[in-house]
Amino acid sequence: MGVKNLWDILESCKKTLPLHYLQNKRVCVDLSCWMVQLQNVNKSHCPMKDKVYLKSLFHRLRALIALNCSLIFVTDGSIPAIKLATYRRRLNSGSEVENQVTQEGINSKKLSSLRRNMGSEFSCMIKEAKVLGLALGIPCLDGIEEAEAQCALLNLESLCDGCFSSDSDIFLFGARTVYRDICVGEGGHVVCYEMADIEQKLGFGRNSLITLALLLGSDYSHGVHGLGPGSACKIVKSVGDKDILQKIASEGLSFAKKTKNSKNQGRAKCNDNATTLHHEVSTNGSNHNLQRDNQCLQVVEAYMKPKCHSADSDVVHSVLAQHPFQREQLHQLCAQLFDWPPDKTDEYILPKIAERNLRRFAKLRSTSSLLGVDIPLNEIPVKCPVSAIIKCRKAHGKECFEVSWDELDGIKTSVVPADLIESACPEKIKEFEDRRALEKKNQRKPRPKKSEQKCSMAEIDLKLKDLLLDTELGSKSVTIASREVISGKMITATEGNSVYHGLDVILESECKDDHKNAALSPQTSTIAPKHEVVDLLSPSPQVLSQNVSRYTKMNGQNISVIDLSDSETERSPEHAKKARELRLFLASIRDK
């Protein structure tokens, strides 16, 4: 619990930070607080035997491992003697404590600390969490008494960067940075309180917070009856942080009595009995006396000098060392607790372990750079864990890279943030970009120049025209019959030219005759079609029948003119096929 209403008093100092803020930090964890949080979240939905709270702890740990956040579990030891009354009250009749007190023979006024019941259900949960943490490479420090006091000592001695705890009295033990809540899902964050902000914004130091515990109540004291958080804060501020504990040592809580009496007298000037009623402040329903002052001094001493492992002890040094990840032990544990096969366990944890190793490498390069030592990637004594970048990816809207890992058993590739690669090994990004540019260059076809494009387009147009002309000549019915010149003798090249000239004359005269015939017979049902130019140099179709219509004499030679029948110029299946292919070809050209 901690100090009553203290979290509400510190609300203005609360900061919600992204989970990435914990990168490369060492943080102590009050394991009891975490297990209580996870148990309360899951016990209403799932039975305890499903161990959902332990699965939630596993996923929380793997998220922090990926950030290279070094965790230290801290567990509670014996119950402080000054806390026994509160502990009995929490257990609803205190059967567990009372049985142990009877066995230990603690019946005197001065009680000693009480060993916890390690066979309780909650103690078994703590044991499971410790074993899971050790398999993941997370050490555990068993406290002498209060776990939050041990966490605060490590933070105060700068042996860790912060503490995870939901007990507000951790500030009274000397903690400087406290993380109260954590969320590891999408958009993960932590709720953080800094002692520096509390001192600056509220004017409360460690001494002031201890005084608030005496006035409002905490695990060690009942507080002043009828005094609220607002009045308590005003009383503490009126004295000041430096002198507040000295004033308590000399006067006890009488200064609080005087402050409250003056307020009560001002409110009841017209009532003489009112001042008499509030003449003294009752502390938990009893008069303030010497015994109460001694109890206040004991509370102050419990907060200022808690029983903890010293910062230079061997136990503390052992947990501060780096502990290895035990893969085989984790396989066995997850199979026993969650019924997971080894492949599933590796799928969950190995990408996070690989990302943690890369962050450690990035931290090494960053530290050496700050010291003015810039070593090339291939000359660093510690080998880069990334073998190569495979492709670009996006995860939760963030730019990422899929990379292949070097010398990491059980995993070949995984996705990591792009900014992490940039800080750890920017040389790998350059290699990836150069390789991708080369691949694109090899795949790209050379584009022709504009002049070559014009020439090629002109050639295509010419070929299309010729092809279209040949197809139309073969598919349409021709009204003017083709003439073939038959000569009995061999025609020389010069003679051939004269014969072609003569044939042009004959064709021209025939065209005139056809125009005349069409004009003389307008009432006929057949209309003469438009004449088309016939390429005499192209091969002629196979002649089925030849009828000699008339003879013409040119250059002293007899020339036979052949008329082709209509059946010879009808559309053949071959012509239809060629025409269809041409139309398809033209359509594809238009589309392109």
Side-chain angles (χ1 to χ4, degrees):
M1 180 190 87
V3 181
K4 195 179 298 182
N5 300 120
L6 185 56
W7 288 125
D8 297 331
I9 295 172
L10 304 179
E11 181 67 23
S12 60
C13 301
K14 182 176 73 173
K15 296 185 293 186
T16 301
L17 304 173
L19 192 64
H20 193 266
Y21 178 79
L22 297 176
Q23 175 180 273
N24 298 327
K25 293 186 182 299
R26 175 183 282 141
V27 183
C28 292
V29 179
D30 185 348
L31 189 56
S32 297
C33 292
W34 267 19
M35 297 310 294
V36 169
Q37 290 176 355
L38 297 173
Q39 183 186 22
N40 291 337
V41 169
N42 296 290
K43 71 179 180 180
S44 59
H45 303 285
C46 303
M48 293 294 293
K49 63 180 182 179
D50 292 341
K51 301 189 183 299
V52 179
Y53 61 90
L54 211 55
K55 289 182 182 178
S56 301
L57 177 64
F58 173 78
H59 291 299
R60 179 179 291 188
L61 294 177
R62 59 188 283 267
L64 294 174
I65 286 173
L67 294 174
N68 191 31
C69 179
S70 301
L71 300 176
I72 300 174
F73 284 164
V74 182
T75 59
D76 290 309
S78 301
I79 304 169
I82 198 171
K83 192 178 179 180
L84 286 178
T86 303
Y87 195 69
R88 289 192 184 99
R89 191 168 61 249
R90 289 179 182 175
L91 290 177
N92 299 327
S93 78
S95 58
E96 181 181 350
V97 175
E98 289 171 359
N99 292 335
Q100 293 187 39
V101 169
T102 303
Q103 294 173 5
E104 296 290 338
I106 304 177
N107 295 316
S108 61
K109 294 182 180 180
K110 187 176 181 180
L111 299 176
S112 62
S113 60
L114 184 65
R115 187 169 55 88
R116 296 179 185 271
N117 181 8
M118 303 308 293
S120 65
E121 183 181 31
F122 187 75
S123 297
C124 292
M125 293 170 57
I126 296 294
K127 289 179 182 178
E128 292 173 340
K130 289 169 62 177
V131 174
L132 180 63
L134 288 173
L136 292 170
I138 300 172
C140 183
L141 176 61
D142 295 323
I144 298 176
E145 287 186 348
E146 297 277 46
E148 61 265 33
Q150 186 68 64
C151 291
L153 176 65
L154 296 177
N155 188 210
L156 186 62
E157 296 290 337
S158 300
L159 297 178
C160 69
D161 300 300
C163 311
F164 273 109
S165 180
S166 57
D167 286 339
S168 57
D169 57 359
I170 191 171
F171 292 106
L172 283 63
F173 290 116
R176 301 297 300 175
T177 302
V178 177
Y179 305 105
R180 184 184 180 188
D181 295 318
I182 180 173
C183 174
V184 297
E186 187 174 352
H189 63 272
V190 288
V191 177
C192 177
Y193 296 83
E194 296 276 358
M195 194 63 190
D197 296 334
I198 296 172
E199 294 170 349
Q200 182 180 0
K201 293 182 180 180
L202 302 178
F204 293 152
R206 184 180 178 185
N207 297 339
S208 299
L209 296 180
I210 293 175
T211 307
L212 287 176
L214 292 171
L215 298 176
L216 298 176
S218 66
D219 292 342
Y220 296 166
S221 64
H222 296 291
V224 176
H225 180 69
L227 194 64
S231 300
C233 290
K234 289 180 181 179
I235 293 172
V236 173
K237 286 183 179 180
S238 65
V239 179
D241 186 70
K242 292 182 179 180
D243 302 327
I244 191 71
L245 292 183
Q246 185 177 358
K247 195 173 186 66
I248 290 175
S250 60
E251 302 180 20
L253 295 178
S254 60
F255 71 94
K257 174 187 69 174
K258 294 176 183 178
T259 305
K260 187 172 182 181
N261 281 345
S262 63
K263 290 183 180 179
N264 290 335
Q265 290 173 1
R267 292 176 183 175
K269 288 182 181 180
C270 300
N271 192 348
D272 295 337
N273 296 329
T275 57
T276 305
L277 181 65
H278 297 284
H279 182 68
E280 290 184 354
V281 177
S282 62
T283 304
N284 197 26
S286 62
N287 295 330
H288 186 73
N289 49 36
L290 184 60
Q291 183 179 358
R292 189 64 180 175
D293 292 339
N294 291 334
Q295 187 178 0
C296 290
L297 294 178
Q298 291 176 8
V299 172
V300 172
E301 186 178 2
Y303 283 125
M304 296 298 292
K305 299 178 180 179
K307 293 182 179 179
C308 301
H309 297 289
S310 61
D312 56 352
S313 63
D314 295 336
V315 178
V316 172
H317 284 302
S318 65
V319 297
L320 294 178
Q322 195 173 99
H323 290 69
F325 163 61
Q326 302 177 25
R327 184 183 174 194
E328 296 299 329
Q329 184 176 346
L330 184 64
H331 285 170
Q332 297 175 5
L333 191 62
C334 290
Q336 178 184 350
L337 297 174
F338 313 136
D339 197 23
W340 288 352
D343 292 343
K344 185 173 183 178
T345 304
D346 286 344
E347 183 181 351
Y348 276 133
I349 196 62
L350 289 184
K352 305 301 180 182
I353 296 293
E355 187 174 339
R356 180 191 66 181
N357 295 343
L358 184 59
R359 290 189 189 276
R360 287 178 177 175
F361 184 79
K363 184 180 179 181
L364 175 65
R365 297 200 71 180
S366 176
T367 304
S368 62
S369 178
L370 290 175
L371 295 175
V373 181
D374 293 326
I375 306 175
L377 183 64
N378 56 355
E379 297 179 6
I380 298 178
V382 180
K383 191 175 182 180
C384 179
V386 174
S387 176
I389 298 176
I390 300 174
K391 64 172 76 171
C392 297
R393 288 290 192 92
K394 266 199 173 183
H396 304 295
K398 294 178 61 177
E399 296 294 333
C400 299
F401 287 118
E402 182 179 351
V403 301
S404 59
W405 300 102
D406 193 13
E407 297 181 358
L408 186 60
D409 294 336
I411 183 173
K412 294 182 178 179
T413 64
S414 67
V415 178
V416 295
D419 57 351
L420 176 57
I421 299 293
E422 180 67 31
S423 61
C425 46
E427 296 87 349
K428 298 292 182 180
I429 298 179
K430 189 177 185 307
E431 292 177 5
F432 169 69
E433 292 175 348
D434 293 344
R435 186 173 69 251
R436 188 168 58 172
L438 183 61
E439 291 175 355
K440 287 183 178 180
K441 184 178 180 181
N442 294 335
Q443 293 176 356
R444 188 184 305 159
K445 295 181 179 179
R447 298 181 63 181
K449 296 181 181 179
K450 291 185 177 180
S451 58
E452 295 178 358
Q453 287 182 350
K454 291 181 180 179
C455 296
S456 60
M457 290 301 295
E459 293 175 358
I460 291 174
D461 290 341
L462 183 60
K463 290 180 180 179
L464 288 176
K465 289 179 182 179
D466 293 341
L467 200 59
L468 181 62
L469 182 61
D470 292 342
T471 305
E472 289 181 351
L473 288 176
S475 60
K476 293 182 179 180
S477 58
V478 183
T479 55
I480 300 177
S482 301
R483 272 75 172 176
E484 182 177 351
V485 179
I486 301 175
S487 175
K489 297 181 180 180
M490 295 296 294
I491 303 174
T492 61
T494 54
E495 290 174 347
N497 292 335
S498 62
V499 171
Y500 291 146
H501 175 71
L503 288 174
D504 292 338
V505 174
I506 294 172
L507 288 173
E508 185 178 358
S509 62
E510 289 295 327
C511 289
K512 291 180 181 179
D513 293 341
D514 291 338
H515 280 291
K516 290 180 181 180
N517 294 335
L520 292 175
S521 58
Q523 298 179 353
T524 58
S525 59
T526 59
I527 300 175
K530 185 178 178 180
H531 304 306
E532 298 184 9
V533 180
V534 179
D535 187 3
L536 296 178
L537 296 178
S538 61
S540 303
Q542 186 178 0
V543 179
L544 299 178
S545 61
Q546 299 178 351
N547 297 322
V548 179
S549 59
R550 59 181 176 269
Y551 299 91
T552 306
K553 186 174 182 180
M554 291 187 63
N555 296 332
Q557 295 180 354
N558 293 328
I559 300 174
S560 300
V561 180
I562 314 291
D563 290 337
L564 297 177
S565 64
D566 292 340
S567 61
E568 298 175 60
T569 60
E570 291 178 353
R571 172 179 288 192
S572 65
E574 184 179 358
H575 286 145
K577 181 178 179 182
K578 289 183 178 180
R580 184 166 60 254
E581 292 176 354
L582 178 61
R583 283 193 296 272
L584 294 175
F585 176 70
L586 292 175
S588 64
I589 292 295
R590 290 193 202 99
D591 294 339
K592 292 180 180 180

